[in-house]
Every structure is written in C-alpha cells, then in structure tokens.
Amino acid sequence: MTLKLGVIGTGAIGQEHIRRCTKVLQGATVVAVSDINVEGARAALSRLGLQAEVYADGHQVIKSSDVDALLITSWDPTHEEYTLAAIAAGKPVFCEKPLAMTAAGCRRVVDAEIKFGKRLVQVGFMRPYDSGYRALKKVIADGAIGEPLMLHCAHRNPAVPESYTTDMAITSTLIHELDVLRWLTNDDYKTVQVVFPRVTSKSHARLKDPQIVLFETQKGIRIDVEIFVNCAYGYDIQCEVVGEEGIARLPEPSAVQMRRSAQLSTAILTDWKDRFIDAYDVELQAFINDVSKGTLTGPSAWDGYAASVAADACLKAQNSGAIEQVELPPRPAFYDKA
C-alpha cells in the first residue's frame, strides 16, 4: 500500500521533504499540500513535476479524506496547532522541530496524544538516524568503553546572519544536541550552566558567540557542548564519549584526503544539509515504514517536550550565569511502550 501524505508548509524544508518522499523514498506519495502562499506552493509542485491538491489552510489538508498521514513543515508557531488537529483527526504526523514554541505547548501535545491512546507524533530530530551517531550509540550500548563518564561536544557553523541572537544558540542550534545526547546516553539532564568565553570579532551586538553549555545528567555524566556559530572554517559537529575503559568519537564525514602543493588536506563541509542529508532520508523512510506498520518508533512528543524543558533551563542559565535545575517530570508509562 502506498501511504498518502499531506504536507503543511512548502518552504525550503517542506519542498525538500516533498522531493525525498516522492523521488527518493519508497512507499509514499504526496497528495495534498498547503501554504499561506498558495501560488508559491503550486510553483513548488510544478518545479518538482508533481500534481497534488493545494490548499491555503493546513486544517483542510488534515481533514482531507485522501490524506493518511501528515508532514508539518510550516512556520514554527503553527506546529502545535496543526499537531493537535492531526491527533484529534487520528492521523499520524511528522512534525519538524520545534514541536511547539514552549514547553507548556509541547506538554499539551503529549497530553492530547496520551488521551487519544496511541502514539501518533514523531518529532523531526534527525541525528538519531545519522550513521555516525548510530555507530557511537552501539559502542556505548555494547559496553565497549565501559560506563560513560564525560562527553565533550561541539556544534560549529561557519557563519550566521545578523538576525541570529544569543538565545537562538539554544533554541535553533543546541536543540539538536539536547535531543541526541539524551538518546545517546539514555539519560536525562539534571542541571545546566552556560558560560561565555571571549566573544569572536565575527559576531555582532546581539549575539554572544561562542558559548559553552555544561550539563550534569541524572546518572552523574558531565557534558560540555561548545556552540560556536561564527567559527568561519566550516560546519563541524563533534562528540567524544569518555568511558571508564576507553574513549569513542563520532566519526568524521567521509572525504577524500589530498596531498598537493606540499600540503596534506581533508575537506570540511560548510552546509548542515550536506552533513545530515542521508539522515533525513533514513528518518522519513522510517516514519513511512512505521505508519504503514501502525506503530511509531522515532523521536516522540515526549522527546520534543524533554528537549523544550531543557532548552528553557538553558535560556535561564544564559541570563543568570548560575547552575540551573532542569525540571523534567517523570516520563509517562505511555511512552515506555515505544
């Protein structure tokens, strides 16, 4: 059976997901889309050589009898509304991060899903589908380096626009680590502190860059994450796990090593889309397969909520400079089944 998808939001990410679901992946087709810019949505479909119903309102896509499942790639503040509507309609939904603009909004989604009685929501955290992170997770799970004691991580971008502000280092950048490091360690955060080194000359008045975020987990693991969004040299994701019996590092992306002009060099990526393009494919194929099987297994609404709670604590720590508590309630038994 071919899964019939509805896509809400046909901006850059929406168009990429439409392309991969119809041109790259198997088992799904896009039958309906919506965007506030209806003509832009039609133009996007035309560029992709696709035919689908085009609506101005995402709720029309959700209500369409032709749509089996939904992809929400619209403006961030609309995610909660559309996800709640999809749950009410009983339709599986893949929602790009953030699940909602606040932790309270994420909790409303969690509560609605629990009330419905079945997992219907997957959040668009792609890193658990990256082959490198999966290999690192296996090393930890197999006990090859013993129990993890410390993690040293970095998230570096070559540059960001002047619209990027200090808080976005948490809400737009660190948010990926907030999810994947919980998954990697199978642990939740207990406390967080944010410290600011000397500011790079490549930053601007509304952005303190770089930042160092320091976590303690419930099991006592210490994690430091460097966020440096004007590093200039490339897009660079690092993760080193220090265990009781050894150290494991996230593998570097594959690149040709060159000997030329008396130099030994390896290229570094500059675009996040190139770094995780394969993970996006695996992520959405898994969602399609899971919907077809009737059971979602990817990042859940609870994972979206947990990341939002941690992000709120990080934002508080940015302003206070103090060690702040991460107040995450116990995970509902509903999500233990996943």
Side-chain angles (χ1 to χ4, degrees):
M1 183 186 75
T2 299
L3 187 69
K4 293 179 290 185
L5 298 173
V7 180
I8 300 175
T10 58
I13 295 177
Q15 290 179 44
E16 268 296 288
H17 285 348
I18 292 170
R19 178 196 63 79
R20 60 174 42 95
C21 286
T22 56
K23 306 288 187 181
V24 179
L25 309 181
Q26 297 180 339
T29 185
V30 174
V31 298
V33 304
S34 71
D35 197 275
I36 192 170
N37 181 356
V38 174
E39 292 307 312
R42 290 197 177 102
L45 291 174
S46 178
R47 286 193 298 272
L48 292 167
L50 299 175
Q51 290 186 337
E53 289 291 329
V54 180
Y55 300 100
D57 184 357
H59 290 283
Q60 293 175 289
V61 178
I62 295 168
K63 293 175 182 177
S64 172
S65 59
D66 291 332
V67 171
D68 300 320
L70 298 138
L71 306 184
I72 297 177
T73 55
S74 52
W75 187 42
D76 289 357
T78 67
H79 288 189
E80 178 187 350
E81 174 189 345
Y82 289 138
T83 301
L84 288 172
I87 293 170
K91 294 185 178 183
V93 54
F94 176 96
C95 181
E96 274 297 347
K97 60 93 180 167
L99 179 60
M101 297 301 289
T102 64
C106 292
R107 186 66 204 226
R108 284 190 287 271
V109 173
V110 166
D111 290 341
E113 187 176 46
I114 292 173
K115 184 177 180 181
F116 185 84
K118 179 181 179 181
R119 267 205 62 186
L120 291 174
V121 180
Q122 177 169 328
V123 182
F125 290 123
M126 99 296 283
R127 289 200 190 177
Y129 295 95
D130 174 69
S131 60
Y133 274 108
R134 288 192 166 194
L136 188 56
K137 171 85 168 178
K138 187 175 187 304
V139 167
I140 296 170
D142 289 349
I145 60 170
E147 290 295 325
L149 307 175
M150 296 175 285
L151 274 68
H152 306 300
C153 309
H155 188 145
R156 304 184 183 115
N157 292 63
V160 291
E162 289 215 0
S163 58
Y164 188 105
T165 54
T166 298
D167 61 308
M168 291 174 68
I170 304 300
T171 59
S172 296
T173 300
L174 181 71
I175 194 70
H176 292 287
E177 275 78 15
L178 290 177
D179 175 70
V180 78
L181 298 182
R182 286 182 63 249
W183 170 81
L184 198 63
T185 61
N186 192 30
D187 200 0
D188 285 315
Y189 307 115
K190 180 179 179 181
T191 65
V192 63
Q193 182 180 19
V194 179
V195 297
F196 296 97
R198 178 182 175 181
V199 175
T200 174
S201 63
K202 300 180 185 300
S203 190
H204 58 82
R206 295 190 300 141
L207 172 61
K208 294 180 180 179
D209 184 44
Q211 303 177 33
I212 300 173
V213 187
L214 306 169
F215 295 99
E216 181 183 6
T217 73
Q218 295 292 337
K219 296 176 184 176
I221 301 170
R222 291 287 183 168
I223 301 173
D224 57 86
V225 185
E226 170 201 320
I227 307 297
F228 190 9
V229 294
N230 289 288
C231 78
Y233 70 84
Y235 181 74
D236 191 9
I237 303 298
Q238 299 291 330
C239 183
E240 178 181 85
V241 182
V242 179
E244 292 179 310
E245 299 171 8
I247 295 174
R249 291 181 61 88
L250 185 70
E252 296 284 347
S254 178
V256 173
Q257 190 180 80
M258 294 179 60
R259 285 174 165 82
R260 183 174 180 270
S261 301
Q263 292 185 337
L264 177 64
S265 64
T266 305
I268 296 175
L269 295 173
T270 59
D271 192 325
W272 59 269
K273 293 188 294 294
D274 294 333
R275 172 64 178 83
F276 290 108
I277 189 170
D278 293 337
Y280 280 110
D281 290 346
V282 176
E283 170 190 45
L284 276 172
Q285 186 66 69
F287 174 74
I288 292 166
N289 295 346
D290 283 352
V291 171
S292 298
K293 295 174 184 175
T295 304
L296 294 186
T297 60
S300 67
W302 181 259
D303 294 319
Y305 172 64
S308 186
V309 169
D312 284 353
C314 291
L315 292 173
K316 187 177 181 181
Q318 277 186 331
N319 292 315
S320 71
I323 297 173
E324 301 289 352
Q325 298 293 314
V326 180
E327 303 286 355
L328 182 66
R331 183 174 65 178
F334 176 85
Y335 291 99
D336 292 339
K337 296 180 290 185

